[in-house]
Amino acid sequence: MPPATGGGLAESKLRPRRGRCGPQAARAACRDVAAEAVARSPKRPARGSRRFEAAGWWALLALVTLLSFATRFHRLDEPPHICWDETHFGKMGSYYINRTFFFDVHPPLGKMLIGLAGYLSGYDGTFLFQKPGDKYEHHSYMGMRGFCAFLGSWLVPFAYLTVLDLSKSLSAALLTAALLTFDTGCLTLSQYILLDPILMFFIMAAMLSMVKYNSCADRPFSAPWWFWLSLTGVSLAGALGVKFVGLFIILQVGLNTIADLWYLFGDLSLSLVTVGKHLTARVLCLIVLPLALYTATFAVHFMVLSKSGPGDGFFSSAFQARLSGNNLHNASIPEHLAYGSVITVKNLRMAIGYLHSHRHLYPEGIGARQQQVTTYLHKDYNNLWIIKKHNTNSDPLDPSFPVEFVRHGDIIRLEHKETSRNLHSHYHEAPLTRKHYQVTGYGINGTGDSNDFWRIEVVNRKFGNRIKVLRSRIRFIHLVTGCVLGSSGKVLPKWGWEQLEVTCTPYLKETLNSIWNVEDHINPKLPNISLDVLQPSFPEMLLESHMVMIRGNSGLKPKDNEFTSKPWHWPINYQGLRFSGVNDTDFRVYLLGNPVVWWLNLLSITLYLLSGSIIAVAMQRGARLPAEVAGLSQVLLRGGGQVLLGWTLHYFPFFLMGRVLYFHHYFPAMLFSSMLTGILWDTLLRLCAWGLASWPLARGIHVAGILSLLLGTAYSFYLFHPLAYGMVGPLAQDPQSPMAGLRWLDSWDF
Amino acid sequence: MWGFLKRPVVVTADINLSLVALTGMGLLSRLWRLTYPRAVVFDEVYYGQYISFYMKRIFFLDDSGPPFGHMVLALGGYLGGFDGNFLWNRIGAEYSGNVPVWSLRLLPALAGALSVPMAYQIVLELHFSHCAAMGAALLMLIENALITQSRLMLLESVLIFFFNLLAVLSYLKFFNCQKHSPFSLSWWFWLTLTGVACSCAVGIKYMGVFTYVLVLGVAAVHAWHLIGDQTLSNVCVFCHLLARAVALLVIPVVLYLLFFYVHLILLFRSGPHDQIMSSAFQASLEGGLARITQGQPLEVAFGSQVTLRNVFGKPVPCWLHSHQDTYPMIYENGRGSSHQQQVTCYPFKDVNNWWIVKDPRRHQLVVSSPPRPVRHGDMVQLVHGLTTRSLNTHDVAAPLSPHSQEVSCYIDYNISMPAQNLWRLEIVNRGSDTDVWKTILSEVRFVHVNTSAVLKLSGAHLPDWGYRQLEIVGEKLSRGYHGSTVWNVEEHRYGASQEQREREWELHSPAQVDVSRNLSFMARFSELQWRMLALRSDDSEHKYSSSPLEWVTLDTNIAYWLHPRTSAQIHLLGNIVIWVSGSLALAIYSLLSLWYLLRRRRNVHDLPQDAWLRWVLAGVLCAGGWAVNYLPFFLMEKTLFLYHYLPALTFQILLLPVVLQHISDHLCRSQLQRTVFSALVVAWYSSACHVSNTLRPLTYGDKSLSPHELKALRWKDSWDILIRKH
């Protein structure tokens, strides 16, 4: 039943817009390309008025762009010290310049671009970016800031063009542009070395090109159509390559594409072959192309970062082997594990480390008073273990014995090299995880008891196979209790030197916590082979770095007793973020949306939902709307709906996220919300003017309304601009401060 | 009126014998030997303790769901005359004589039994054949996992009954009434019943919310069509919408509140979970804190003796505390301290938790007559009762949170480090700026006058020198409201003794006075609801926990109970034929729907319109019901068990005969094909029966099997069937 009404509506009302856009739309749609064509083509009758109008159109766009650039580049060099997250992203830019490997929870494209901008502008990567507030001094930082501001400035013209295309109304587009230009939050966020301006640039570029290719739908497979379609794909790859938040815009484009294909599929005048062509084109441009580009960024990332650095420990042994400077790089070790080998054992889960023991006992009252066994992230002599047969204590390295390899399913004993104690477990509860058993070091000079026996197993292998160094994923099963050696990842208290707890878990589920691999392997009786053959392939590296990123993201949990930003704070502009400075003598920058703009946005969303549902119900009840009203309500429902969907997709998923959230996560949604405001107010004012058509000044209502909104936002920007451009002097709590009257909410602390 | 004189009184009874037979078989399968085993089986150990709390009227807090489910179980205990005296501590423990096992297990078993005829009715209301309806009911009847789950004192069968079945059935009845007699009595009845069933389901488990949303969604789509129906007048449409809004939105909310109301009325005694709640809530319970706080003076005055409890109370609820010991001169990491008296937060009641509110301008530590109440914005000093040192903070890094200031009780070492012990009182939940500081009710912040730092619980445990108590700091950058900086007065009395010695004696003696303060229901409800949602149990590992992916193919089971001597055992183990074919039916349904949808879009109508509508509605309710009861588990971080899948499974069982009938009606072209297909279905159903019968000993646990037989039942390696070693 539903498709009947919905489909009918789409066919009768929507298609005319796409089919032939009308005189106004023809100017707007595909303008960037079409206009050039107009200018070049001598055949077109270039009437005076039309040329004049086109010139005006270009001038307006230029004005908007110019204003945006001017506001973003004004006082870009201040403050000349590290602000907020510049400490992270600037540092990561330096890593690219120095080519040292690091780990971050975001995909690499954004930081790579920052690094590139720094490199091109003569930054040498020597600044340490230690903490916010450090002076840049002679280091060149303007290249990186300038690059971010450059991308950030494009947001305004992109939003302008998107709204123009959706609403065919210059005033709506102008209003949107003004809201974004004069928003202190957008401005602040674009002025520093951050990922957000880059992310928002790609999101808006994707949105713009999607809207443009929608309006080229009447000329499928033409050059502009291909251009915009592939540009959408490129922007999507860019957005996803900067942050995983880019998935939301991918979702939006995906939904739009599905709806589009559904419409084409229902068009019986098109043959199935044509529909197939449409489908292929979209798969090519919106799936294959972005995936290829996204993978390419990772390829570049791995290629550029070839030196060992601070991120090594997060990755598996095989991954580390390709970083020059790492001790696994170009190392040559025996390939198969044999009895008598000295080994280090690494947990497969990220940031757990090596199996470790040391000459300290578990304290009184915590299990048995035997030697501690922990995991430790750093490389150390205490990580070395000797692998021995369970029943003999003879030295297998005695040259008279033949080499005997360890095989899957063998019963072994692990002797700690430094202290000669055996890895041991028994029915005592583990220090932190009470349901698991304690693991200790036990015995004297390698003589212990039957609780020291472990069965070594390779995951997903047949019995009797040899065990490969680095590549084999192994588990140690305790013979007597049947539990599995694992690390709980919990930090031991002071007595355990804040290393991580090792336990023996009775739950036999296969989790990464209980899977290990052998990393170092010393056995003089075996030939060393070069590790190069063990290097992981590119898809493996790609997969691993994604696993590590996802794990890192979910590891960013808020602490209980900290103030954290909640998603419901954001649209009401409840609280800002301090970018720089705390005291009244500092140069202070405070990330806070322009409250006039933000509260207007909030009001507009409510108004939109209200007016949208009234119109929808009226149409469902079969009310006959006059042509002009019907056109306006189409703009409201279709154009506004598109933008509202964007806002929803970029805002509500945050409510489901468990990780730490910050105010700046709302800004992509805010862009959509501002576009909605532009469309809504323009349409409402036009409807108002139409309703009062008998009144002599009816047309004036629209102009006056738009003008007052424009001037209002501009004035509020004049009031609040010190938040973005920086202020010195008493804090706003102080009645003396010039900002005192502007602290409209108690929760703002600038 | 006198009609019966003219015509005879005739009663025509229309009895659907198959429905009666189904009910009978359902009752038989669920109630047979209900009291066996007479021992605690699996999660009964968990729900049982709450039943005992209900019987003893002791307040508890359970984060697993709203109280309606627990109340249903407790009703069984009440009817059986259970006194609540049983120690629920171990699975497998024998029930003592005072536990009415039969009546405790009766209600879930009844719900399980009635699900069988309910499934029959639902398929019938979806306008599928009697045969399909019988099929659905018979599948419900022989599904081992459903039998096991409903024969025990557990909530899933009640949830399935209310939600999956009652709500869907009454909505369908309502929807079918809509066509011929809107606003009739039965129309109203079924509409209201839909709302009631929805709120019951949400009242049992929060998972019910998703299916509630599904029913709301279906109702919204139908209402949207109603709006488009231009034969109805505007007023009529408005009445329709209003009736739906009342029945499906207002009634559930009211009922949900009612559950909590009854819950709070029933549980009026204090109990083991008091500590989690705020002081005000605790004071509203009988016994516990109320015994201490009853009759305390309401308004805190200068000279009052108070204990201060942190409102946030994480990681543990605790009180502001100080003791003789000082901060160590040098910490382990080499940083120095002020070496002044430690101030900590202590999770137990202690005489060292008492503080005296002192007026900085006066010297005495007693309440003057008349008492001068402390107001918002007043300057106070907090003097520690036993050591008479006052609360102080200064520009010294705190022991564990170096970005915050150290808080201490000031000792004058004469080293040009002056006391900074003035605090400004801020009442957070004040009505006006001149509000008085009230015991229990007021939430206050202490803002340091010199440095504007705020007194805060950092949540870190101090090392041994601080006796592992919690660290208190002065937070310099305090942004917005956060519970860890907010305190409330819990115990309070007016100090009367001038002399330190007398005062110590006074502090050691219990406080007593007599006034009772009651919180309004809404305040208690919102606090309880909030705490339930915020409570996180971190122990997330269980031997039988499983991941949602393992459920679809039944790769896991749960051992519920093992006979103490023999090898008789109860397992939650489904009928694998039904599980697999249910998933297959779902896949077939989705593929077929996609195929039909694409063909319709190209204007090829394979199905007649009414068959198509029937197919869509059945799919939306059954496949949609499966999706909303299954997919959300992928987003959840809590420990999951196989029984969480049972509500989704019932929807699959409803879908199964629908798909089978569709194949037979529309995809089998000839009579021969149809006959062959029917034969296949019969064969398939007998195999399901066979499997059900084979697994019966594990479902009822009534028969002790030999190790060999048990091994033979272990069809999948991942199934964990207990085999005794002799």
Side-chain angles (χ1 to χ4, degrees):
Chain A
M1 242 188 274
T5 47
L9 192 137
E11 276 155 48
S12 61
K13 300 272 168 54
L14 157 72
R15 280 301 127 183
R17 178 175 75 76
R18 283 192 178 166
R20 185 71 17 226
C21 306
Q24 225 177 358
R27 278 192 293 283
C30 312
R31 182 36 83 161
D32 292 32
V33 180
E36 276 168 291
V38 172
R40 276 196 303 267
S41 146
K43 281 180 219 156
R44 270 260 167 107
R47 295 247 182 81
S49 67
R50 227 183 232 192
R51 185 180 275 178
F52 182 72
E53 221 169 287
W57 189 91
W58 277 107
L60 216 51
L61 180 60
L63 177 77
V64 164
T65 316
L66 203 67
L67 201 61
S68 169
F69 270 83
T71 47
R72 267 63 180 165
F73 277 86
H74 177 64
R75 298 182 71 180
L76 185 64
D77 54 336
E78 283 192 38
H81 56 245
I82 302 176
C83 289
W84 196 53
D85 270 359
E86 283 189 337
T87 173
H88 298 307
F89 301 119
K91 197 190 292 167
M92 290 168 190
S94 311
Y95 284 140
Y96 279 105
I97 295 174
N98 299 326
R99 312 193 62 178
T100 46
F101 189 75
F102 68 97
F103 159 72
D104 186 37
V105 295
H106 304 300
L109 179 64
K111 290 153 302 192
M112 241 151 47
L113 290 175
I114 291 176
L116 182 69
Y119 180 70
L120 293 180
S121 64
Y123 167 60
D124 54 2
T126 50
F127 188 62
L128 289 178
F129 281 101
Q130 266 175 335
K131 62 175 193 301
D134 288 359
K135 292 262 184 294
Y136 283 114
E137 289 165 355
H138 62 277
H139 296 281
S140 136
Y141 62 98
M142 279 303 285
M144 292 186 275
R145 275 199 190 165
F147 170 72
C148 290
F150 174 77
L151 292 188
S153 309
W154 280 110
L155 294 180
V156 180
F158 283 179
Y160 173 87
L161 290 172
T162 308
V163 172
L164 192 60
D165 206 77
L166 286 175
S167 70
K168 316 291 170 232
S169 155
L170 268 181
S171 45
L174 268 181
L175 184 56
T176 306
L179 290 175
L180 289 182
T181 315
F182 296 135
D183 177 49
T184 47
C186 264
L187 175 53
T188 314
L189 209 56
S190 306
Q191 282 199 314
Y192 299 93
I193 309 170
L194 301 173
L195 293 186
D196 302 79
I198 311 176
L199 173 72
M200 293 197 288
F201 171 82
F202 282 119
I203 288 179
M204 285 307 286
M207 182 73 193
L208 175 66
S209 26
M210 183 186 90
V211 168
K212 286 284 187 193
Y213 109 79
N214 274 349
S215 55
C216 294
D218 56 325
R219 286 170 292 146
F221 307 112
S222 64
W225 187 87
W226 279 112
F227 174 75
W228 289 118
L229 188 61
S230 43
L231 202 59
T232 314
V234 173
S235 316
L236 289 184
L240 187 63
V242 177
K243 275 192 182 188
F244 286 123
V245 173
L247 281 173
F248 302 145
I249 185 76
I250 293 185
L251 200 59
Q252 178 163 28
V253 172
L255 289 177
N256 177 69
T257 312
I258 289 172
D260 199 28
L261 284 174
W262 186 245
Y263 165 76
L264 290 172
F265 189 70
D267 186 350
L268 294 181
S269 65
L270 294 180
S271 73
L272 278 179
V273 178
T274 324
V275 175
K277 273 191 203 160
H278 274 284
L279 180 68
T280 324
R282 279 154 178 89
V283 168
L284 221 58
C285 289
L286 299 180
I287 296 178
V288 178
L289 178 67
L291 271 185
L293 287 176
Y294 181 72
T295 326
T297 58
F298 271 89
V300 175
H301 172 75
F302 292 136
M303 232 139 61
V304 171
L305 301 182
S306 56
K307 293 184 199 159
S308 153
D312 293 13
F314 291 96
F315 289 84
S316 65
S317 318
F319 193 99
Q320 292 177 34
R322 46 171 291 284
L323 300 170
S324 73
N326 189 295
N327 60 350
L328 290 174
H329 184 67
N330 284 340
S332 58
I333 51 174
E335 193 185 2
H336 293 288
L337 202 58
Y339 286 104
S341 296
V342 177
I343 55 170
T344 60
V345 183
K346 186 169 197 274
N347 195 288
L348 272 194
R349 208 180 108 179
M350 183 187 101
I352 295 280
Y354 302 94
L355 191 67
H356 178 96
S357 183
H358 41 229
R359 265 182 215 287
H360 295 275
L361 305 185
Y362 283 103
E364 199 79 57
I366 296 177
R369 242 178 107 68
Q370 296 172 1
Q371 185 167 306
Q372 297 172 12
V373 174
T374 61
T375 55
Y376 187 49
L377 267 172
H378 300 274
K379 306 198 170 181
D380 176 326
Y381 283 114
N382 274 326
N383 298 345
L384 295 176
W385 299 81
I386 308 172
I387 188 160
K388 291 196 167 171
K389 286 193 160 179
H390 72 283
N391 43 11
T392 65
N393 207 14
S394 62
D395 183 11
L397 292 188
D398 189 335
S400 56
F401 288 102
V403 177
E404 199 174 338
F405 288 106
V406 181
R407 288 166 197 279
H408 175 64
D410 280 4
I411 313 273
I412 57 146
R413 198 154 53 81
L414 273 183
E415 186 179 311
H416 190 235
K417 186 159 183 276
E418 294 294 301
T419 61
S420 298
R421 295 197 196 275
N422 293 328
L423 189 72
H424 177 99
S425 180
H426 45 214
Y427 289 113
H428 282 275
E429 62 183 26
L432 300 177
T433 315
R434 292 297 160 94
K435 286 183 175 175
H436 297 180
Y437 303 131
Q438 187 192 24
V439 175
T440 64
Y442 180 74
I444 296 167
N445 285 334
T447 320
D449 62 11
S450 62
N451 271 332
D452 302 346
F453 299 157
W454 301 81
R455 192 170 65 244
I456 186 166
E457 287 187 0
V458 184
V459 178
N460 299 334
R461 280 293 165 82
K462 285 201 207 80
F463 277 87
N465 278 354
R466 288 183 191 177
I467 291 166
K468 280 187 192 161
V469 172
L470 290 173
R471 280 301 185 81
S472 289
R473 300 149 62 92
I474 54 184
R475 306 211 296 168
F476 297 96
I477 317 264
H478 191 239
L479 214 59
V480 175
T481 58
C483 58
V484 187
L485 184 75
S487 173
S488 65
K490 294 177 188 163
V491 181
L492 293 172
K494 271 272 156 54
W495 55 257
W497 310 96
E498 287 168 358
Q499 297 171 0
L500 305 181
E501 183 197 37
V502 167
T503 63
C504 196
T505 71
Y507 310 114
L508 299 179
K509 287 268 160 60
E510 237 172 62
T511 62
L512 279 187
N513 293 37
S514 58
I515 301 180
W516 307 78
N517 70 347
V518 175
E519 191 167 295
D520 295 313
H521 183 208
I522 306 159
N523 193 331
K525 284 159 82 179
L526 289 172
N528 288 345
I529 58 145
S530 167
L531 261 184
D532 287 347
V533 282
L534 299 175
Q535 275 205 6
S537 63
F538 177 69
E540 277 173 333
M541 277 161 42
L542 193 66
L543 189 70
E544 179 176 348
S545 44
H546 275 85
M547 297 305 286
V548 173
M549 276 191 283
I550 289 168
R551 182 165 272 288
N553 250 321
S554 58
L556 294 173
K557 286 268 157 58
K559 290 192 196 121
D560 259 351
N561 290 34
E562 292 298 323
F563 301 102
T564 46
S565 187
K566 302 275 187 317
W568 64 265
H569 290 169
W570 303 339
I572 51 177
N573 211 12
Y574 178 73
Q575 202 163 51
L577 264 174
R578 270 209 194 95
F579 263 42
S580 151
V582 177
N583 297 323
D584 46 3
T585 50
D586 295 340
F587 184 88
R588 297 193 309 276
V589 176
Y590 190 68
L591 174 74
L592 184 75
N594 180 343
V596 175
V597 173
W598 284 50
W599 293 343
L600 183 70
N601 282 346
L602 203 60
L603 175 73
S604 309
I605 290 170
T606 333
L607 266 182
Y608 178 82
L609 291 178
L610 205 68
S611 55
S613 36
I614 289 174
I615 292 174
V617 168
M619 295 203 317
Q620 178 78 356
R621 288 296 295 163
R624 304 228 159 273
L625 300 177
E628 192 164 350
V629 177
L632 285 175
S633 20
Q634 273 316 305
V635 167
L636 204 60
L637 288 186
R638 301 221 43 105
Q642 186 94 264
V643 178
L644 185 74
L645 179 71
W647 179 75
T648 321
L649 286 177
H650 283 87
Y651 178 44
F652 287 102
F654 285 105
F655 283 93
L656 297 176
M657 283 189 198
R659 60 161 281 174
V660 187
L661 297 172
Y662 298 101
F663 178 50
H664 70 105
H665 288 152
Y666 182 67
F667 278 82
M670 184 267 168
L671 298 177
F672 285 97
S673 156
S674 303
M675 290 198 270
L676 184 68
T677 309
I679 295 178
L680 175 88
W681 285 96
D682 178 62
T683 319
L684 281 192
L685 285 170
R686 275 172 201 275
L687 276 176
C688 211
W690 175 85
L692 299 172
S694 53
W695 203 45
L697 290 175
R699 283 209 73 78
I701 288 182
H702 178 240
V703 177
I706 295 289
L707 263 185
S708 56
L709 283 172
L710 286 180
L711 292 177
T713 41
Y715 180 66
S716 66
F717 176 67
Y718 167 72
L719 288 178
F720 282 97
H721 77 271
L723 293 182
Y725 290 135
M727 50 202 165
V728 189
L731 297 169
Q733 285 107 313
D734 192 341
Q736 312 283 303
S737 161
M739 302 301 286
L742 296 173
R743 195 163 169 263
W744 295 346
L745 287 184
D746 280 347
S747 47
W748 298 347
D749 40 3
F750 45 80
Chain B
M1 180 165 194
W2 297 99
F4 70 90
L5 293 178
K6 293 171 197 156
R7 271 175 278 112
V9 181
V10 179
V11 178
T12 346
D14 219 9
I15 296 176
N16 185 341
L17 276 183
S18 46
L19 198 59
V20 174
L22 283 175
T23 317
M25 287 196 288
L27 285 172
L28 190 68
S29 67
R30 266 65 173 179
L31 294 181
W32 183 69
R33 293 192 69 184
L34 192 58
T35 53
Y36 177 84
R38 213 183 147 74
V40 180
V41 179
F42 200 60
D43 265 358
E44 288 189 344
V45 73
Y46 177 78
Y47 291 114
Q49 51 176 331
Y50 298 123
I51 296 176
S52 282
F53 281 136
Y54 270 114
M55 294 302 123
K56 294 179 173 174
R57 304 299 187 81
I58 291 175
F59 175 78
F60 67 86
L61 180 71
D62 178 27
D63 61 335
S64 71
F68 180 66
H70 300 325
M71 284 198 285
V72 168
L73 294 181
L75 179 67
Y78 175 74
L79 294 177
F82 183 38
D83 56 3
N85 289 324
F86 184 76
L87 196 60
W88 306 89
N89 59 356
R90 185 172 65 83
I91 294 174
E94 288 277 322
Y95 282 122
S96 53
N98 63 332
V99 184
V101 182
W102 193 78
S103 65
L104 278 173
R105 288 182 183 159
L106 179 64
L107 288 176
L110 279 182
L114 290 182
S115 304
V116 176
M118 210 74 116
Y120 173 83
Q121 296 235 325
I122 288 181
V123 177
L124 221 53
E125 289 296 328
L126 284 169
H127 298 298
F128 283 84
S129 69
H130 165 77
C131 188
M134 281 299 281
L138 286 176
L139 287 176
M140 295 283 285
L141 184 69
I142 62 165
E143 170 51 55
N144 301 59
L146 290 179
I147 296 179
T148 311
Q149 197 71 10
S150 49
R151 281 170 49 80
L152 301 169
M153 201 196 302
L154 303 172
L155 284 181
E156 270 69 26
S157 69
V158 188
L159 176 70
I160 289 171
F161 172 75
F162 273 114
F163 203 71
N164 296 1
L165 304 172
L166 189 59
V168 170
L169 177 66
S170 45
Y171 185 76
L172 284 173
K173 290 250 188 202
F174 156 75
F175 179 63
N176 292 333
C177 270
Q178 168 78 26
K179 284 174 195 153
H180 47 85
S181 55
F183 297 111
S184 67
L185 200 62
S186 63
W187 186 90
W188 277 111
F189 174 74
W190 292 116
L191 180 60
T192 322
L193 196 60
T194 314
V196 172
C198 284
S199 65
C200 287
V202 177
I204 292 172
K205 294 249 163 161
Y206 287 117
M207 269 310 286
V209 171
F210 293 106
T211 334
Y212 178 43
V213 170
L214 177 78
V215 170
L216 277 187
V218 174
V221 170
H222 287 156
W224 185 248
H225 293 157
L226 206 70
I227 292 177
D229 182 356
Q230 283 160 35
T231 55
L232 297 174
S233 72
N234 283 343
V235 177
C236 182
V237 168
F238 182 72
C239 289
H240 269 294
L241 295 182
L242 196 67
R244 281 163 172 77
V246 168
L248 298 182
L249 294 173
V250 178
I251 289 185
V253 170
V254 170
L255 269 182
Y256 186 75
L257 287 179
L258 190 71
F259 296 148
F260 274 88
Y261 187 75
V262 174
H263 177 74
L264 286 173
I265 292 280
L266 285 179
L267 305 178
F268 57 83
R269 298 207 177 108
S270 80
H273 296 168
D274 280 16
Q275 288 292 311
I276 306 166
M277 311 305 290
S278 72
S279 306
F281 193 97
Q282 290 181 40
S284 70
L285 296 169
E286 192 177 279
L289 184 66
R291 210 163 40 216
I292 302 168
T293 58
Q294 248 179 24
Q296 289 184 159
L298 179 64
E299 297 182 345
V300 178
F302 288 110
S304 280
Q305 298 170 351
V306 296
T307 62
L308 291 164
R309 184 185 198 259
N310 190 276
V311 167
F312 192 52
K314 279 183 190 162
V316 280
C318 61
W319 291 270
L320 191 68
H321 178 97
S322 181
H323 40 236
Q324 285 283 356
D325 300 77
T326 55
Y327 287 111
M329 198 79 92
I330 305 285
Y331 298 122
E332 284 94 334
N333 56 8
R335 275 195 295 118
S337 81
S338 67
H339 197 49
Q340 294 189 338
Q341 182 171 314
Q342 294 174 13
V343 172
T344 64
C345 202
Y346 188 53
F348 303 98
K349 301 248 166 173
D350 186 79
V351 68
N352 267 323
N353 297 347
W354 283 95
W355 297 82
I356 302 168
V357 182
K358 178 175 171 287
D359 185 348
R361 290 160 298 178
R362 303 198 185 188
H363 276 291
Q364 70 259 46
L365 294 175
V366 293
V367 175
S368 57
S369 166
R372 289 182 305 119
V374 187
R375 291 174 193 282
H376 172 73
D378 278 357
M379 212 88 88
V380 298
Q381 286 174 325
L382 288 176
V383 180
H384 186 238
L386 284 194
T387 60
T388 58
R389 296 200 163 118
S390 45
L391 191 74
N392 175 70
T393 181
H394 41 220
D395 193 14
V396 174
L400 300 178
S401 322
H403 296 295
S404 311
Q405 292 185 2
E406 178 191 272
V407 174
S408 64
C409 272
Y410 184 71
I411 305 175
D412 193 358
Y413 288 124
N414 233 339
I415 47 161
S416 72
M417 187 183 244
Q420 303 184 3
N421 51 20
L422 291 182
W423 300 84
R424 200 178 56 251
L425 181 81
E426 271 184 19
I427 300 178
V428 178
N429 55 350
R430 61 182 181 271
S432 70
D433 276 355
T434 56
D435 251 16
V436 177
W437 184 7
K438 297 196 188 76
T439 314
I440 290 182
L441 302 175
S442 291
E443 300 186 335
V444 300
R445 305 208 304 168
F446 295 98
V447 184
H448 193 235
V449 173
N450 301 64
T451 60
S452 66
V454 181
L455 193 69
K456 176 186 169 180
L457 169 67
S458 77
H461 284 273
L462 294 172
D464 283 334
W465 54 257
Y467 307 100
R468 311 220 160 262
Q469 297 172 3
L470 294 143
E471 186 200 33
I472 293 289
V473 299
E475 171 78 41
K476 280 180 287 190
L477 300 173
S478 142
R479 307 197 298 159
Y481 173 91
H482 192 276
S484 62
T485 62
V486 183
W487 303 80
N488 71 312
V489 171
E490 191 162 285
E491 293 174 69
H492 172 220
R493 67 186 147 209
Y494 286 156
S497 13
Q498 281 291 357
E499 288 300 310
Q500 172 65 14
R501 189 158 280 259
E502 276 177 50
R503 197 155 51 231
E504 280 180 23
W505 182 83
E506 195 179 43
L507 290 172
H508 277 290
S509 61
Q512 17 74 28
V513 218
D514 217 65
V515 199
S516 75
R517 275 181 293 281
N518 271 328
L519 277 179
S520 72
F521 164 68
M522 280 318 280
R524 298 176 75 196
F525 163 73
S526 55
E527 181 180 343
L528 187 58
Q529 178 72 83
W530 179 242
R531 303 262 166 179
M532 268 182 175
L533 293 176
L535 205 64
R536 293 259 177 283
S537 44
D538 50 6
D539 211 80
S540 64
E541 213 173 6
H542 191 281
K543 190 163 183 221
Y544 290 107
S545 65
S546 49
S547 77
L549 277 180
E550 293 169 293
W551 300 342
V552 181
T553 46
L554 192 62
D555 278 341
T556 170
N557 71 322
I558 306 178
Y560 267 14
W561 175 78
L562 176 66
H563 193 281
R565 286 171 302 280
T566 70
S567 65
Q569 47 192 306
I570 296 182
H571 283 262
L572 180 70
L573 190 54
N575 186 328
I576 187 139
V577 172
I578 299 182
W579 288 54
V580 170
S581 36
S583 307
L584 266 181
L586 192 76
I588 293 173
Y589 179 87
S590 326
L591 289 177
L592 271 180
S593 301
L594 188 68
W595 173 248
Y596 289 144
L597 216 60
L598 289 177
R599 303 249 302 167
R600 284 174 73 85
R601 191 74 191 150
R602 294 303 284 186
N603 231 352
V604 185
H605 293 263
D606 299 291
L607 299 180
Q609 186 64 15
D610 64 325
W612 168 247
L613 288 180
R614 221 162 52 197
W615 175 250
V616 169
L617 186 64
V620 166
L621 283 176
C622 299
W626 173 82
V628 295
N629 277 297
Y630 176 58
L631 300 181
F633 283 113
F634 284 98
L635 297 175
M636 284 187 195
E637 286 175 359
K638 62 176 195 172
T639 323
L640 297 174
F641 292 96
L642 182 64
Y643 58 71
H644 284 126
Y645 185 61
L646 294 181
L649 179 76
T650 31
F651 280 114
Q652 272 192 345
I653 292 179
L654 292 180
L655 188 65
L656 197 51
V658 167
V659 172
L660 289 180
Q661 194 196 339
H662 180 84
I663 292 176
S664 152
D665 287 356
H666 298 279
L667 298 185
C668 295
R669 294 290 157 83
S670 67
Q671 191 57 44
L672 177 69
Q673 278 181 359
R674 224 161 272 164
T675 320
V676 171
F677 184 73
S678 310
L680 282 178
V681 169
V682 169
W684 163 78
Y685 184 73
S686 359
S687 74
C689 285
H690 176 68
V691 169
S692 174
N693 196 41
T694 318
L695 292 178
R696 208 181 60 94
L698 298 182
T699 305
Y700 290 93
D702 56 340
K703 206 166 118 197
S704 176
L705 296 177
S706 68
H708 183 70
E709 287 171 302
L710 286 173
K711 265 191 198 127
L713 281 180
R714 195 158 169 256
W715 295 334
K716 284 197 174 191
D717 289 342
S718 49
W719 287 3
D720 195 357
I721 288 174
L722 311 172
I723 298 171
R724 276 186 192 280
K725 290 178 193 155
H726 289 290

